[in-house]
Amino acid sequence: MSARVALFRGEDGLAIRRAIERLAADLGTSGLPLERWTVDASRGVPGRERAARMLDEVAERLSTAPLFGGGTLVVVRQPANLMREAENRDRLLRLVAMVPEGNGLALSESVELRGTRGGAEAPGGPLARAVTEAGGLVQAFPAPRKGHMVRWLHERAAELGIRLEPAAANLLSERVGADLGEGDMDRREQTELAWSGLQALALLRPEGSVSADDVAALVPETIPSSRWAFLDAVGSRRPAEAALLAERLLADGWPIQVLTTLLRSRLRELIICSDLAAQRRPPAALVKALGGNPARAPIVARQASAWSLAELRAAVEGLLELDLASKGLSPAGGPVPSSEGRSALGLQAWLAERVGRAVSSTRPPLG
């Protein structure tokens, strides 16, 4: 018999939704899936009393045996938000352990599995342990990353009866942001966006072949204006990607002075890393220099290996000129013409001249 309780976690929203559908079908009878009822705690962390009321509803649905047909699959979205208070946490854990036969409980956690933010429960936490102890299912669904998204798109396209030309798959992957590099960019909607795009393409070319032109015509660009992705593109010396993200950040209202401040901080980290590498300091020294963050140290070290110290210092000098020009000042302190358009062009020029140069350093990264 299928488990009556499950915890599905991760960034792949489409896979989580399908896992819930499978659970409803597995627990159903006479070929009919369980009727689904959802409580959503994802829109802001509910207060203590509101969380308690949500749990009251969950308990009522789980304890109710339907008069006709199959039972009910109770779906709780972002259950960690209902566990902020000890009393509510203990109650949810008890509910997990007492799901009656005929009904089911699906806990759906939309979280970033890499670089998890927001205090989300780590794998193996109390909720996962409770589900496992109740004989339930715990599954993680990471979003397909660069290199894997293209294969994912071909597989999903086949489900819809269409074929993606290689250029079409590559373009669609780019349009949902799967090709962007490191950083804490939120990827939790990428698969849903990609699936929506594939469905539109299937309507255009039923049982046919989809070209890159078809993708360009039907699927809008949904790459988020992530400052982290922008900084990572600069640090990794990917000027074309950085230029695109810079345009998006500026269009979203980010002041040029804020971007130059963020860039200066990133370049400073790269300079520190290069200095430490030149001194043959151990990786722990870089972790300490970055404020004790071991997760970021290998990322910064890998990016720093693409620069020489001379290139980094030249980039900082050019950035200072760009920052002064955005404020109507020359390096000598005199006034110069300034506008948002000039600043945007200046940033693009800096990216092309300072970031886009050929990599001259072959020094291995620190650590």
Side-chain angles (χ1 to χ4, degrees):
M1 181 172 177
S2 298
R4 293 196 292 269
V5 59
L7 171 61
F8 302 126
R9 311 177 71 253
E11 306 148 316
D12 189 342
L14 179 65
I16 290 175
R17 176 160 59 84
R18 290 182 167 188
I20 292 172
E21 292 170 355
R22 285 195 301 270
L23 182 62
D26 290 343
L27 294 176
T29 56
S30 302
L32 296 175
L34 295 187
E35 179 182 345
R36 276 177 283 168
W37 178 83
T38 301
V39 58
D40 192 346
S42 64
R43 297 178 181 176
V45 178
R48 180 178 181 180
E49 293 184 0
R50 180 165 169 258
R53 289 196 299 271
M54 287 182 172
L55 291 173
D56 286 341
E57 293 181 284
V58 170
E60 181 179 355
R61 294 279 179 166
L62 286 176
S63 62
T64 301
L67 294 176
F68 304 100
T72 300
L73 176 64
V74 176
V75 181
V76 181
R77 292 177 179 166
Q78 300 303 97
N81 289 344
L82 301 178
M83 300 173 65
R84 306 287 174 167
E85 300 287 340
E87 183 177 345
N88 289 331
R89 179 180 65 249
D90 293 342
R91 187 177 183 193
L92 179 57
L93 297 180
R94 288 196 300 271
L95 289 172
V96 166
M98 298 185 299
V99 177
E101 188 173 350
N103 291 334
L105 175 62
L107 306 166
S108 168
E109 285 272 27
S110 176
V111 296
E112 294 173 274
L113 296 178
R114 298 183 181 182
T116 302
R117 298 177 298 181
E121 178 193 353
L127 192 55
R129 287 196 298 270
V131 171
T132 301
E133 290 170 2
L137 180 65
V138 177
Q139 285 186 306
F141 297 94
R145 301 291 174 126
K146 182 177 181 179
H148 297 287
M149 176 59 87
V150 170
R151 183 179 63 187
W152 185 95
L153 288 169
H154 283 297
E155 292 171 351
R156 300 293 84 74
E159 293 177 10
L160 295 170
I162 58 175
R163 298 178 302 279
L164 293 178
E165 296 178 3
N170 290 331
L171 180 58
L172 183 52
S173 176
E174 293 173 7
R175 293 219 156 184
V176 298
D179 284 8
L180 294 183
E182 304 154 73
D184 64 350
M185 186 180 63
D186 195 335
R187 300 178 184 272
R188 289 175 291 178
E189 295 184 359
Q190 280 184 344
T191 53
E192 293 282 10
L193 291 169
W195 179 248
S196 177
L198 287 171
Q199 288 177 311
L201 292 166
L203 290 174
L204 177 68
R205 306 290 184 200
E207 300 183 5
S209 181
V210 175
S211 68
D213 289 339
D214 295 331
V215 174
L218 281 188
V219 182
E221 289 184 311
T222 55
I223 299 174
S225 57
S226 164
R227 73 180 190 273
W228 298 106
F230 169 62
L231 295 174
D232 284 336
V234 171
S236 300
R237 305 196 79 164
R238 300 191 299 267
E241 182 181 314
L244 172 62
L245 291 168
E247 288 181 3
R248 292 179 178 276
L249 288 167
L250 293 172
D252 283 353
W254 284 72
I256 186 72
Q257 294 83 5
V258 172
L259 295 184
T260 55
T261 299
L262 293 171
L263 286 167
R264 188 160 54 245
S265 296
R266 176 57 62 92
L267 292 174
R268 177 180 176 274
E269 291 178 342
L270 298 178
I271 289 172
I272 290 173
C273 183
S274 291
D275 281 332
L276 292 174
Q279 298 171 32
R280 299 187 180 280
R281 299 290 300 279
L286 178 58
V287 173
K288 183 177 180 180
L290 295 176
N293 188 340
R296 291 202 62 244
I299 295 174
V300 175
R302 187 160 55 250
Q303 293 177 1
S305 68
W307 300 77
S308 68
L309 272 174
E311 288 172 324
L312 286 168
R313 289 174 180 136
V316 171
E317 291 172 0
L319 194 63
L320 175 60
E321 294 179 10
L322 174 62
D323 184 57
L324 289 172
S326 72
K327 299 170 183 175
L329 298 172
S330 69
V336 295
S338 176
S339 67
E340 291 184 0
R342 286 176 180 269
S343 295
L345 286 174
L347 178 57
Q348 295 292 345
W350 180 85
L351 290 170
E353 295 170 4
R354 305 297 186 183
V355 177
R357 289 182 176 182
V359 176
S360 61
S361 172
T362 57
R363 169 176 44 80
L366 190 67

